[in-house]
Amino acid sequence: MKISNETKVGALTAIAIVILILGFNFLKGRNLTERNDRIYSVFPDIKGLQVSNPVYIKGLQVGKISEMREKDNNLSGIVVSINLNKDINIPTNSKAIINSDLLGSNSLEIMMGNSTEYIGDGDTLVSTAKVGIMNEITQSLNPAISNINK
């Protein structure tokens, strides 16, 4: 049986479109082969956090940030969607903290609580603000600068 050139071109085009869609989703930080439980956290300020930034628990990467959107029209908070790709029990009283290192890259860390109940798909974590190293340096230098100015 002879396959026509038109059929070969059509099959090649279909395969190319599938690869293009999968590659585009991969570059956006989505993975179709991993677990996709989604949890949320609301922050007053995301401090440079971006989509596809890693999410850590005790140093182990357990997911990525998949989406960020405003809570309401007054921008009273920013809702961060977290895709978890590991099967880890996260207690309900855990906290989400934004970490930033000296080079300026940000990540999200989940500090585990001690509750016996665990969050499920679609639940929301409490968010807290962590003082960064630059803020600590600024706070420690402010008294010295005021003394120099006097």
Side-chain angles (χ1 to χ4, degrees), residues 8 13 17 25 27 39 49 55 63 65 70 73-75 86 88 92 109 116-117 120 127 135 137 142 144 147:
K8 291 177 185 176
T13 303
I17 289 172
N25 284 330
L27 290 175
I39 59 174
L49 203 62
V55 177
I65 296 173
E70 64 277 353
N73 289 340
N74 295 329
L75 203 62
K86 303 268 187 204
I88 294 177
T92 55
E109 183 171 352
T116 57
E117 296 179 13
S127 63
N135 289 340
I137 292 171
N142 280 342
N147 286 339

Side-chain angles (χ1 to χ4, degrees), residues 9-38:
V9 169
L12 183 64
T13 303
I15 292 170
I17 289 172
V18 168
I19 290 173
L20 179 71
I21 291 171
L22 291 175
F24 186 70
N25 284 330
F26 176 75
L27 290 175
K28 286 173 63 176
R30 296 181 189 156
N31 194 345
L32 301 175
T33 61
E34 293 180 349
R35 176 180 177 223
N36 285 324
D37 283 351
R38 184 173 283 193

Side-chain angles (χ1 to χ4, degrees), residues 82-132:
I82 303 166
N83 271 351
L84 297 175
N85 54 17
K86 303 268 187 204
D87 191 16
I88 294 177
N89 292 329
I90 301 172
T92 55
N93 62 345
S94 299
K95 296 178 182 177
I97 301 170
I98 297 175
N99 280 335
S100 59
D101 58 5
L102 290 174
L103 298 177
S105 63
N106 293 326
S107 64
L108 192 70
E109 183 171 352
I110 298 176
M111 298 297 291
M112 300 287 268
N114 57 4
S115 176
T116 57
E117 296 179 13
Y118 301 111
I119 61 170
D121 189 25
D123 287 346
T124 302
L125 284 178
V126 175
S127 63
T128 59
K130 180 179 180 182
V131 178

Side-chain angles (χ1 to χ4, degrees), residues 35-84:
R35 176 180 177 223
N36 285 324
D37 283 351
R38 184 173 283 193
I39 59 174
Y40 302 95
S41 187
V42 179
F43 291 94
D45 183 10
I46 56 171
K47 300 176 184 169
L49 203 62
Q50 296 178 353
V51 173
S52 294
N53 280 24
V55 177
Y56 295 105
I57 296 177
K58 297 183 180 178
L60 175 69
Q61 184 175 352
V62 295
K64 292 182 182 179
I65 296 173
S66 63
E67 182 184 8
M68 290 185 277
R69 64 181 184 278
E70 64 277 353
K71 185 177 178 182
D72 54 21
N73 289 340
N74 295 329
L75 203 62
S76 63
I78 299 168
V79 179
V80 176
S81 299
I82 303 166
N83 271 351
L84 297 175

